[in-house]
Amino acid sequence: MDQADSLRNKMALQLSDQKKHTSGNARVIAVASGKGGAGKSNFTVNFSLALQRLGKKVLVFDLDIGMANIDILLGQSAEYTIVDMLRQRLSVWKIIAKGHEGLPFVSGGSGLNDLIEFSGDEMEYFLEQLQLIGKEYDYIFFDMPAGVSRTSLHFLLSADQAFLVTTPEPTSVTDGYGMIKFLHVNNKNLPVCLIINRIKNKKEGSATASNISAVCRQFLNKEIKSLIYIPDDDTVGKAVRAQTPFIAYSPDARSSAAVLQAARQYTNELNSQEKYTEFSFTAKLRRFFTTKGRNTFG
């Protein structure tokens, strides 16, 4: 850690000590899917970039550690990863890289040697570092691994909101509902928002969202909102191969227009709501990693 990082950390810690139960103003959003291949990471990158274009400060954390691909989608190679931060006790400022259009992101690494499950000490250090940047951003996105592990569950349950990415395919819908049910059982108050990806037309997207919402309402007594239906067009695949976000690769494509419109809608809706203030993300996550704090979200 260089002198500038050390000074910045000390100043940020002094501010955080004044309000120990807040991690800043950033809204923390965990992006999940019931199964792999739903397009979760691609959505995260493009939606984050769309928010940045609206003047929002956004940071993307790739938490699919060891199997990460945010840096690939952004066409950038990060010098450091989350694993480096934990094992070498690096400053979080040091591991934040810049992707397309300067979008800040933290790589999760891409190799079997990078696979890691947070220990108690590692999580505490991670939370300390996260607290340093809470006031720097409007949104912090956690791109979660597909499915659920002990650590990823805790991240999901501690977030201010979960985005669930699914496709109209029956297996994806079934797995997506399973994820919603699992989250609901553990935290009934967690807001979940649907992203329907790879739709043939708006009717298919609406039908998929309505089916999931109806099942959640009937069996979980939970209201699920939909944020966006993303068309399945050739632009997305071409952009991935070019390692460029599709809203930059082809701004006029239907998929790009959908993401940009969703970003505007999302920010407008949040501006009309009160901010989430009951507990900070770091405070909630820390509760899971203390003996008395486990399984406290009934």
Side-chain angles (χ1 to χ4, degrees), residues 48-59 103-104 136-139 263 267-268 270-271:
S48 297
L49 188 58
L51 289 173
Q52 181 173 276
R53 289 183 178 183
L54 293 174
K56 303 300 181 181
K57 295 181 179 179
V58 186
L59 174 64
L103 180 68
E136 295 292 323
Y137 298 97
D138 299 306
Y139 301 97
T267 55
N268 289 338
L270 283 185
N271 287 338

Side-chain angles (χ1 to χ4, degrees), residues 98-134:
K98 294 294 180 68
H100 196 84
E101 298 180 21
L103 180 68
F105 75 98
V106 174
S107 174
S110 55
L112 293 179
N113 291 334
D114 293 331
L115 292 173
I116 189 172
E117 183 75 9
F118 284 71
S119 68
D121 289 343
E122 288 166 340
M123 179 56 70
E124 185 59 36
Y125 184 75
F126 180 85
L127 292 174
E128 288 175 1
Q129 294 301 304
L130 193 62
Q131 253 181 313
L132 299 176
I133 60 175

Side-chain angles (χ1 to χ4, degrees), residues 24-245:
N25 300 321
R27 184 176 182 84
V28 177
I29 301 168
V31 187
S33 62
K35 60 179 293 186
K40 170 181 54 61
S41 299
N42 211 2
F43 164 77
T44 303
V45 164
N46 283 275
F47 190 71
S48 297
L49 188 58
L51 289 173
Q52 181 173 276
R53 289 183 178 183
L54 293 174
K56 303 300 181 181
K57 295 181 179 179
V58 186
L59 174 64
V60 179
F61 269 91
D62 195 335
L63 285 186
D64 196 358
I65 299 175
M67 306 293 286
N69 56 16
I70 291 293
D71 48 352
I72 296 173
L73 293 170
L74 286 169
Q76 298 291 333
S77 178
E79 183 177 359
Y80 299 104
T81 70
I82 293 176
V83 177
D84 295 321
M85 182 182 77
L86 296 177
R87 291 179 175 168
Q88 300 177 38
R89 290 300 191 261
L90 299 179
S91 163
V92 67
W93 305 106
K94 197 173 188 66
I95 68 169
I96 296 175
K98 294 294 180 68
H100 196 84
E101 298 180 21
L103 180 68
F105 75 98
V106 174
S107 174
S110 55
L112 293 179
N113 291 334
D114 293 331
L115 292 173
I116 189 172
E117 183 75 9
F118 284 71
S119 68
D121 289 343
E122 288 166 340
M123 179 56 70
E124 185 59 36
Y125 184 75
F126 180 85
L127 292 174
E128 288 175 1
Q129 294 301 304
L130 193 62
Q131 253 181 313
L132 299 176
I133 60 175
K135 293 184 179 296
E136 295 292 323
Y137 298 97
D138 299 306
Y139 301 97
I140 296 177
F141 283 87
F142 288 113
D143 184 41
M144 307 303 301
V148 177
S149 68
R150 181 181 67 89
T151 296
S152 65
L153 174 63
H154 294 168
F155 272 89
L156 282 162
L157 297 180
S158 300
D160 295 329
Q161 186 173 25
F163 282 0
L164 193 284
V165 182
T166 185
T167 71
E169 297 177 359
T171 53
S172 184
V173 169
T174 300
D175 289 340
Y177 170 72
M179 172 68 79
I180 295 172
K181 181 179 179 180
F182 191 73
L183 294 176
H184 181 72
V185 167
N186 288 277
N187 182 5
K188 293 180 173 60
N189 297 319
L190 177 67
V192 179
C193 191
L194 283 175
I195 288 86
I196 312 298
N197 196 19
R198 298 177 189 151
I199 62 168
K200 295 178 181 177
N201 49 56
K202 189 173 181 179
K203 182 179 179 180
E204 182 180 52
S206 180
T208 302
S210 295
N211 290 338
I212 296 175
S213 296
V215 173
C216 290
R217 192 177 303 113
Q218 179 179 355
F219 294 104
L220 304 179
N221 193 29
K222 186 178 183 68
E223 292 295 329
I224 301 292
K225 294 183 178 180
S226 299
L227 174 64
I228 181 176
Y229 310 147
I230 305 177
D232 186 11
D233 59 38
D234 294 337
T235 295
V236 176
K238 292 177 180 178
V240 170
R241 289 188 288 274
Q243 293 185 266
T244 302

